[in-house]
Amino acid sequence: MMFALLLACLPPSAEPAQADPAPEAAPATQEAPAAEGLEWVILDPKGAPLSEQLAQHAAKAHEAGRLPVAYLGARWCAPCKVFKKQRNAPEIQAALAGVTLLEIDVDPWMSQLGDAGVKVAAIPHWFPLDAQGKPTGPGVSGDAWKDLSPGAMAPTLNTLKAHPKGSQIQAPGEVTPDARSTD
């Protein structure tokens, strides 16, 4: 079942790298946070190892009183594209206020995910981190909502702020990825 979830986000092409060539990776970039709003950091696969980047950014977030949350996605993943497109929606901004989101594109980071303590079967996936950059539980996957509207995503994303270590956030109903609307 876990393998099937990952396959649901695979591109229709048998050659994902050819369908969406990787641009030159820039150093970790950071959008300026609105006062207590969402801060978005894109981790650089050409920089330090993933575990070091997670630890560095998680420590900075904790020092600033923010919650570090790792976000795993990919450029070819339709639900990931929708989330990124809707990240400025008021519902998403409110749900992730005070969060430093550390974006990890799974394609260039695949070989380092396990070493960083990241174990997911499907994307998109979010999980809170401790001050050392280690996941504090299984987090939330994109299967936790029935559609990809900000109103459906926000309540589940908001639960990341109160996610006790080791607990699992249950989806309100199981949804197959192909049943989602990406409009």
Side-chain angles (χ1 to χ4, degrees):
M1 166 118 173
M2 289 173 39
F3 182 68
L5 290 175
L6 183 57
L7 288 177
C9 259
L10 288 177
S13 166
E15 303 173 24
Q18 308 266 340
D20 190 6
E24 286 298 313
T29 57
Q30 190 167 331
E31 291 181 4
E36 288 295 317
L38 171 61
E39 177 182 33
W40 195 292
V41 179
I42 301 170
L43 301 185
D44 178 12
K46 293 185 179 178
L50 179 59
S51 58
E52 289 179 27
Q53 289 189 50
L54 287 173
Q56 174 193 5
H57 290 290
K60 285 170 68 175
H62 274 276
E63 288 170 14
R66 302 180 64 80
L67 174 66
V69 172
Y71 159 61
L72 280 78
R75 289 182 324 275
W76 47 260
C77 171
C80 302
K81 289 179 184 180
V82 172
F83 169 69
K84 287 180 77 169
K85 181 179 175 185
Q86 296 179 354
R87 70 182 176 196
N88 291 321
E91 300 94 333
I92 301 297
Q93 287 291 310
L96 296 176
V99 166
T100 296
L101 199 74
L102 306 175
E103 181 180 346
I104 303 167
D105 184 329
V106 297
D107 290 326
W109 288 110
M110 188 62 72
S111 66
Q112 295 186 43
L113 294 176
D115 291 342
V118 177
K119 294 177 176 74
V120 296
I123 57 172
H125 199 93
W126 301 258
F127 50 87
L129 302 170
D130 63 19
Q132 291 75 43
K134 298 292 183 191
T136 61
V140 177
S141 80
D143 288 331
W145 40 78
K146 293 183 180 182
D147 65 64
L148 294 172
S149 69
M153 290 185 225
T156 303
L157 291 172
N158 194 48
T159 64
L160 290 166
K161 295 176 187 174
H163 187 205
K165 186 174 182 176
S167 70
Q168 188 133 14
I169 298 172
Q170 298 296 320
E174 189 167 335
V175 177
T176 58
D178 51 317
R180 294 188 191 138
S181 168
T182 58
D183 298 322

